[in-house]
Amino acid sequence: MTAPEARTRTDLLSLPPEEAEATLARHFATRDQPSYRTEQAVRWLYEGDAAGFGEMTNLPLAERAALEDAFVPPALPVARVDRSRDGTAKHLWRLHDNELIESVLIPAGRRLTLCISSQAGCAMACTFCATGWAGYRRQLTAGEITAQYRGARAWARSEGYPDISNIVFMGMGEPLVNRKAVIPALGILNHGFGVGARRITVSTVGIVPGILEMAEMPEQYRLAVSLHAPNHELRQTLIPVERKYPLPELMEALRAFERAGGKRITFEYVMIDQVNDHPELAEELARQVGEFNALVNLIPYNPIPGREWVSSSPPRLRAFAARLEEMGINVSVREPRGRDIAAACGQLRADAVEGRTAPVGV
Ligand code: SAH
């Protein structure tokens, strides 16, 4: 049975920062506390690492207890942490209903990128992605999204990593089919935690209404689009949602996004040997994205259980990249990170960790 307070407690990390502050101010006012208590709690929330109200050591014990009664703890319990040989670190977070999600910290020089999840599982069923294979569980709340940032930041600080410089919505799930939580979470990360909008990237499989909604936002959040194929026929074999939002519609939405101003688009293209890496596809891709001020990010395919595909060989990848460049396209190649702990792109499938979903057939 759920404790009654668990149903009524407010999750501060789900609220826009000004509302969280107002809520705390009301809470302390009803308890006849001085107004600076609000400031203290707000600092703990956005700047501090306390895993629970009990650790907010400059508040009186009675106030810590009262906060515990009124609010959801601002941290998710860690079910497991894995650290790769290359410094990449994967957190498995346990949600209040025992669902599991993952986030990944990826250090690169002085940069530290945090990759976060927007759903438990994913319903998109892209054929090359382990998250999709493991199935869909549920939407995350804004608080469950922002708590990944807050918790990963605390861990990174305690382990001597640099400050988190970038956040990418490239973990589990399709962020633009959870706009109800993702859009508020963007605001909380930006205005509450102070992460610059241009340092936050939403990666989408191509959900047209979501792209149009992002185009309308005043903040310059970045958009990455998982393209993976330059034509409808091939793309629909990799990404089922291509049938719902076919390429011409997707391109039209991206034009609207670009017209909205100053927002560079990244096209992600996973390189699967003999599947989507033929030289003539590079030319078709260049024609498809050439009209945008875009970057094509080639991602070597990370192996997932149950699929015999392999990554394009380095020469094949270089040839594909060179062809794009010859046609005037900006290209980068994503270095695979954290493969040894199944933390690389497409490898996240937290539910399988506890064997709750049937293992993907090998
Ligand atoms: N649903 C969003 C974000 C999650 S995936 C999206 O589709 O963009 C983040 C990136 O990893 C996407 O570009 C996705 O296509 C890519 N990816 C998925 N499986 C992969 C794999 N096995 N190897 C390499 N990249 C993969």
Side-chain angles (χ1 to χ4, degrees):
M1 221 181 76
T2 326
E5 71 270 22
R7 286 200 299 272
T8 53
R9 284 187 300 177
T10 302
D11 183 4
L12 294 165
L13 286 180
S14 269
L15 300 178
E18 60 282 3
E19 255 179 64
E21 186 169 346
T23 305
L24 283 164
R26 279 196 303 275
H27 166 86
F28 286 119
T30 60
R31 297 183 51 77
D32 293 327
Q33 287 294 304
S35 58
Y36 65 80
R37 293 276 178 246
T38 302
E39 168 66 11
Q40 287 175 316
V42 163
R43 286 187 78 126
W44 276 112
L45 195 62
Y46 297 114
E47 293 165 36
D49 295 329
F53 297 105
E55 293 177 27
M56 300 188 175
T57 44
N58 56 356
L59 298 172
L61 278 175
E63 291 315 310
R64 296 184 221 170
L67 287 167
E68 262 161 14
D69 282 346
F71 302 108
V72 173
L76 299 168
V78 181
R80 181 179 164 148
V81 189
D82 291 292
R83 197 198 281 232
S84 160
R85 283 188 292 274
D86 68 17
T88 300
K90 181 169 79 171
H91 281 82
L92 182 69
W93 307 103
R94 188 178 300 282
L95 309 181
H96 66 87
D97 58 356
N98 274 328
E99 291 296 340
L100 295 165
I101 53 167
E102 290 173 316
S103 67
V104 183
L105 283 162
I106 309 147
R110 291 168 63 182
R111 283 167 52 124
L112 181 62
T113 299
L114 173 67
C115 175
I116 54 177
S117 295
S118 55
Q119 301 179 309
C122 186
M124 296 295 111
C126 300
T127 52
F128 49 87
C129 176
T131 309
W133 279 56
Y136 172 73
R137 308 287 300 189
R138 70 164 170 84
Q139 304 283 27
L140 300 188
T141 64
E144 288 166 338
I145 296 171
T146 53
Q148 293 170 64
Y149 170 77
R150 192 174 177 279
R153 180 184 67 178
W155 186 89
R157 284 173 176 165
S158 72
E159 296 291 322
Y161 279 65
D163 290 343
I164 294 173
S165 53
N166 298 77
I167 301 176
V168 295
F169 281 76
M170 295 187 189
M172 305 170 72
E174 168 49 48
L176 294 187
V177 295
N178 187 14
R179 303 202 288 285
K180 195 166 154 250
V182 167
I183 304 268
L186 289 170
I188 298 163
L189 291 169
N190 183 212
H191 305 299
F193 288 97
V195 183
R198 291 177 195 192
R199 293 173 175 275
I200 305 179
T201 301
V202 174
S203 178
T204 180
V205 73
I207 305 298
V208 164
I211 294 169
L212 295 175
E213 192 170 337
M214 279 193 66
E216 299 291 313
M217 297 175 75
E219 298 93 347
Q220 300 202 320
Y221 300 115
R222 295 239 178 148
L223 184 67
V225 180
S226 294
L227 205 59
H228 306 326
N231 62 62
H232 177 73
E233 287 64 37
L234 179 60
R235 195 166 189 265
Q236 67 176 351
T237 67
L238 300 172
I239 302 176
V241 83
E242 166 68 19
R243 282 172 220 135
K244 186 163 180 195
Y245 302 115
L247 271 177
E249 251 184 73
L250 173 57
M251 291 297 149
E252 196 49 50
L254 294 176
R255 281 179 207 117
F257 184 85
E258 199 167 63
R259 270 199 307 274
K263 308 179 178 187
R264 191 187 66 170
I265 299 169
T266 299
F267 289 99
E268 295 162 282
Y269 197 99
V270 60
M271 294 290 289
I272 314 175
D273 187 49
Q274 307 297 332
V275 172
N276 64 349
D277 65 347
H278 305 285
E280 57 280 12
L281 291 177
E283 285 167 27
E284 205 178 346
L285 177 61
R287 284 194 296 273
Q288 193 66 256
V289 304
E291 66 177 284
F292 298 100
N293 164 31
L295 173 74
V296 172
N297 190 208
L298 300 176
I299 315 175
Y301 168 72
N302 295 305
I304 65 167
R307 276 274 167 201
E308 277 167 15
W309 287 336
V310 292
S311 172
S312 309
S313 65
R316 227 172 137 78
L317 208 147
R318 275 198 300 275
F320 197 90
R323 193 75 202 99
L324 285 171
E325 273 171 349
E326 278 160 27
M327 295 186 67
I329 307 296
N330 296 314
V331 184
S332 64
V333 177
R334 190 178 297 174
E335 189 193 334
R337 301 291 304 270
R339 273 184 180 169
D340 55 327
I341 56 166
C345 302
Q347 295 188 318
L348 303 181
R349 47 179 204 139
D351 282 345
V353 172
E354 294 193 336
R356 233 171 327 126
T357 39
V360 176
V362 183

